[in-house]
Amino acid sequence: MPNWLRKSLVVMVTILTFGLVTPSQAFLYEHSNAVKTPKKDIFDALSENKNVINNPALADEHVGYISKEDFIRQMLMEAEAQSFTKFGARIKPVIENEFTEVILPNIEKAIQNVAEQYPEEELAYLTVTERPGKGHSEKIFNITNDKTNEDVIRFHVRRDQPPQQGYWFNFHYHTHHDQFQAHHELGSIYWDKNTPPKWMS
């Protein structure tokens, strides 16, 4: 049966039954000989990259190479995704724009510094942790060296409440160079005089 006729029948049945009955999936895909490969989005590609890194047998088959530009782009996308996950539905709409304009470019600079410290053939081993801290935890994400299983850099956000100034979100990072002791500032975003909700709420 031609594709256009099949689609027309589906639409007609749906309209005639007010959407209460739809043709079965078997009918829709009956006699479909075309083998289609699903489109991959960027997150599938990132996931595949992590699977290759975490499995030495696959890594040998794959070229374990990523350019510094691609590494920075990939890390920045993951940094933004992990940050928005941490903010949750209540905080994200309030600070999203300022975070994107002020904090994210500074995160990019920090990631560029990390990229400069490693040869390009080692960058494929650096990955972003995927569990931001909930509640009052400061952790947004870490960049970890999967080869050594050690953190390279940790990105945090702390709630500050200077006297008579309300609440601020202070974004900063720590590096392995000093055992994560020093705070490297990324910037601060004002919240309100009211107590902010917990992270990921």
Side-chain angles (χ1 to χ4, degrees):
M1 178 182 303
N3 236 358
W4 64 269
L5 183 57
R6 186 177 301 132
K7 289 180 182 179
S8 299
L9 284 173
V10 170
V11 171
M12 201 166 61
V13 169
T14 304
I15 291 171
L16 291 175
T17 60
F18 301 105
L20 297 175
V21 177
T22 57
S24 71
Q25 294 296 320
F27 171 77
L28 290 173
Y29 295 104
E30 186 182 343
H31 306 299
S32 176
N33 295 330
V35 177
K36 295 181 181 177
T37 56
K39 290 183 181 175
K40 293 180 183 176
D41 64 12
I42 187 68
F43 296 106
D44 291 337
L46 295 177
S47 173
E48 278 182 12
N49 189 27
K50 284 186 181 176
N51 290 338
V52 167
I53 289 166
N54 292 330
N55 187 337
L58 288 176
D60 290 341
E61 295 171 13
H62 250 78
V63 178
Y65 173 85
I66 183 171
S67 70
K68 287 188 177 173
E69 295 77 21
D70 288 342
F71 169 79
I72 292 165
R73 192 177 309 114
Q74 175 181 324
M75 291 294 117
L76 199 58
M77 278 192 313
E78 293 197 41
E80 185 176 34
Q82 294 304 316
S83 299
F84 289 160
T85 299
K86 180 172 181 71
F87 298 161
R90 296 173 66 193
I91 294 177
K92 181 185 174 215
V94 178
I95 69 169
E96 178 179 6
N97 291 339
E98 196 169 353
F99 173 82
T100 304
E101 292 168 14
V102 177
I103 307 300
L104 206 55
N106 291 330
I107 290 176
E108 183 176 12
K109 288 176 190 171
I111 291 171
Q112 284 172 343
N113 288 340
V114 169
E116 294 304 318
Q117 297 169 17
Y118 287 84
E120 287 191 341
E121 59 270 13
E122 294 289 316
L123 291 176
Y125 294 103
L126 301 182
T127 58
V128 169
T129 57
E130 296 183 348
R131 290 194 181 134
K134 296 181 180 181
H136 295 288
S137 168
E138 290 187 10
K139 178 186 172 187
I140 305 174
F141 67 94
N142 303 337
I143 294 180
T144 303
N145 186 332
D146 284 344
K147 210 172 183 183
T148 62
N149 204 25
E150 294 176 351
D151 290 341
V152 174
I153 188 169
R154 297 173 180 167
F155 290 91
H156 289 173
V157 57
R158 181 182 65 225
R159 298 161 188 252
D160 288 340
Q161 188 185 16
Q164 316 256 328
Q165 293 184 33
Y167 286 90
W168 291 77
F169 296 133
N170 173 264
F171 293 85
H172 57 277
Y173 66 92
H174 308 272
T175 69
H176 66 100
H177 298 299
D178 61 0
Q179 284 71 49
F180 307 101
Q181 297 302 309
H183 280 237
H184 303 275
E185 293 293 322
L186 294 167
S188 293
I189 296 177
Y190 179 69
W191 170 254
D192 197 338
K193 293 198 173 176
N194 298 321
T195 307
K198 291 180 179 179
W199 299 118
M200 296 178 74
S201 63

